[in-house]
Amino acid sequence: MSGKTILYAEDNEFNRKIVRQALRQTSYRLIEAPDGETAVTMARDVLPDLILMDVQLPKLSGLDATRRLRADPRTAHIPLVVVTSFALSGDDARAMDAGASAYLAKPYSPRDLLALIRKLLPEN
């Protein structure tokens, strides 16, 4: 791993802390956005290597933020994982329709999170 940047859009501090702890022993650099609008702005400014996008966000939903990022040529190629605690039937399809690269339902283990990140961010 070469210090790749991950943008995590999540309004819940507890959930952000879980991801921070999961990534602490890695070389990934985590940046955080508390709402969908900030996530879109940060993604366009920083061009992270991967985006973790919660569905339920203030100001702009995670799915709407995902659609905006996919419509922007600067961010359209960035792997994007939609994360939700509302693992209802059809949520995965809605995430993929919005342009997600993958879907992760809460609760998830740090091991599952890291495995998915490594799958989407190959070291080469």
Side-chain angles (χ1 to χ4, degrees), residues 97-114:
D97 286 347
S101 308
Y103 173 85
L104 186 62
K106 298 176 197 171
Y108 52 83
S109 72
R111 169 185 253 169
D112 290 344
L113 174 65
L114 289 173

Side-chain angles (χ1 to χ4, degrees), residues 72-95:
D72 186 328
R74 295 170 294 172
T75 56
H77 67 284
I78 299 171
L80 192 149
V81 178
V82 169
V83 183
T84 182
S85 56
F86 302 97
L88 302 172
S89 175
D91 269 5
D92 52 348
R94 281 188 287 280

Side-chain angles (χ1 to χ4, degrees), residues 12-74:
N12 182 290
E13 173 58 28
F14 179 77
N15 292 334
R16 289 197 309 261
K17 183 178 179 182
I18 289 171
V19 171
R20 258 185 248 127
Q21 289 175 340
L23 297 180
R24 184 169 285 140
Q25 300 301 317
T26 72
S27 65
Y28 297 122
R29 184 173 80 94
L30 183 67
I31 57 175
E32 301 172 20
D35 60 69
E37 284 183 4
T38 303
V40 170
T41 299
M42 289 177 79
R44 289 173 175 163
D45 290 346
V46 176
L47 299 177
D49 296 287
L50 184 132
I51 300 167
L52 299 172
M53 182 74 69
D54 189 52
V55 169
Q56 300 286 14
L57 290 171
K59 298 186 182 177
L60 183 67
S61 79
L63 295 181
D64 286 339
T66 297
R67 288 183 192 97
R68 285 191 190 177
L69 292 170
R70 287 303 183 232
D72 186 328
R74 295 170 294 172

